[in-house]
């Protein structure tokens, strides 16, 4: 209906976000690039991942009605950010907007969504426990700027969708009309052209130098 295919999970579950799209599956070379950035602080990986994210944003743009689209990275708690030294979602989003063909419509807004509580690990929790674990974790700054706006929420990996759903819930309560979720990778395959991620280096996506 809008040129984007919905993944099986999105069709089964009524998430608080409108649509979710990812470049590819969380495996192989794409997974290695994300790990290089997150756990080894290899900054050039953000440039490579940003190019991948830019493709998804460019495909998404015609379906978003807002003339100017806030791009909001999923935030880290300040303690985690200090420990890591950066927010990988923010770095990837920043690099994506440099090369996105529809970049003129997107505006990076890393100041709108805050992580005000540092939660325990989500590993081993049920879906209900995951949702409860995240309650009260996020807050919106400058809510008046969100009134009636469509926004794009960006993260590196989509796993269960719990974090994306909680962020979207908070953003919608603050006034956002729709929340689109865009990630580089996801653990569940998507029924879209972004499902297959092969030959990244052959496409010139290289972290060297």
């Amino acid at each position: 209906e809008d040129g984007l295919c919905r993944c099986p999970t999105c069709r089964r579950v009524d998430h608080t976000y409108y649509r979710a799209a990812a470049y590819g599956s969380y495996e192989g070379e794409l997974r290695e690039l994300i790990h290089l950035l997150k756990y080894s602080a290899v900054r050039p990986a953000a440039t490579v991942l940003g190019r991948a994210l830019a493709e998804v944003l460019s495909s998404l743009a015609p379906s978003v009605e807002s003339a100017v689209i806030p791009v909001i990275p999923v935030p880290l708690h300040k303690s985690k950010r200090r420990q890591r030294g950066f927010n990988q979602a923010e770095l990837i989003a920043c690099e994506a907007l440099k090369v996105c063909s529809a970049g003129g419509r997107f505006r990076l807004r890393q100041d709108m969504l805050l992580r005000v509580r540092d939660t325990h690990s989500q590993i081993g929790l049920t879906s209900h426990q995951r949702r409860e674990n995240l309650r009260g974790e996020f807050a919106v700054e400058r809510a008046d700027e969100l009134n009636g706006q469509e926004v794009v929420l960006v993260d590196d990996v989509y796993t269960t969708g719990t974090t994306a759903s909680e962020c979207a819930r908070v953003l919608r309560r603050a006034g956002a009309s729709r929340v689109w979720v865009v990630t580089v990778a996801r653990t569940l395959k998507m029924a879209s052209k972004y499902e297959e991620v092969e030959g990244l280096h052959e496409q010139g996506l290289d972290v060297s130098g």
Side-chain angles (χ1 to χ4, degrees):
E1 59 189 328
D2 54 15
L4 293 173
C5 298
R6 299 183 73 189
C7 71
T9 301
C10 293
R11 290 196 293 266
R12 289 195 302 267
V13 181
D14 183 21
H15 290 292
T16 53
Y17 55 78
Y18 183 64
R19 291 286 191 277
Y23 179 82
S25 300
Y26 185 53
E27 58 189 9
E29 206 161 8
L30 198 59
R31 183 174 182 272
E32 291 175 14
L33 286 169
I34 291 171
H35 280 212
L36 280 173
L37 176 61
K38 287 176 73 170
Y39 307 121
S40 299
V42 178
R43 297 294 185 101
T47 302
V48 183
L49 296 169
R51 292 178 201 155
L53 192 77
E55 289 194 26
V56 191
L57 289 173
S58 297
S59 179
L60 182 79
S63 302
V64 184
E65 296 178 2
S66 299
V68 177
I69 310 163
V71 174
I72 303 174
V74 171
L76 293 178
H77 187 264
K78 58 184 179 181
S79 61
K80 177 64 72 65
R81 184 169 185 136
R82 278 197 304 267
Q83 179 185 23
R84 184 170 292 170
F86 58 89
N87 176 0
Q88 71 278 358
E90 184 179 319
L91 287 182
I92 294 169
C94 183
E95 293 297 328
L97 296 191
K98 292 178 183 178
V99 297
C100 180
S101 61
R105 295 180 61 200
F106 293 107
R107 296 288 187 276
L108 184 63
R109 294 302 306 271
Q110 65 269 47
D111 57 345
M112 287 189 115
L113 188 64
L114 304 177
R115 203 163 198 148
V116 295
R117 188 167 64 87
D118 194 12
T119 57
H120 301 296
S121 171
Q122 299 273 74
I123 297 174
L125 300 182
T126 66
S127 58
H128 174 73
Q129 289 170 332
R130 285 172 179 266
R131 287 192 298 270
E132 290 303 309
N133 191 40
L134 288 175
R135 290 287 174 174
E137 182 163 356
F138 300 98
V140 172
E141 291 271 289
R142 301 176 181 84
D144 57 309
E145 298 180 25
L146 274 178
N147 191 31
Q149 278 272 45
E150 291 184 82
V151 302
V152 172
L153 182 72
V154 169
D155 208 354
D156 55 345
V157 182
Y158 181 110
T159 50
T160 65
T162 308
T163 299
S165 292
E166 179 61 14
C167 288
R169 185 185 71 82
V170 172
L171 289 166
R172 288 181 62 188
R173 285 187 65 181
S177 60
R178 280 179 179 171
V179 178
W180 301 76
V181 177
V182 174
T183 60
V184 176
R186 65 171 299 146
T187 56
L188 298 176
K189 286 188 176 181
M190 298 189 70
S192 79
K193 66 179 179 180
Y194 299 108
E195 179 179 334
E196 297 299 330
V197 189
E198 296 179 354
L200 292 179
H201 290 293
E202 283 76 11
Q203 298 175 34
L205 300 181
D206 196 335
V207 297
S208 60

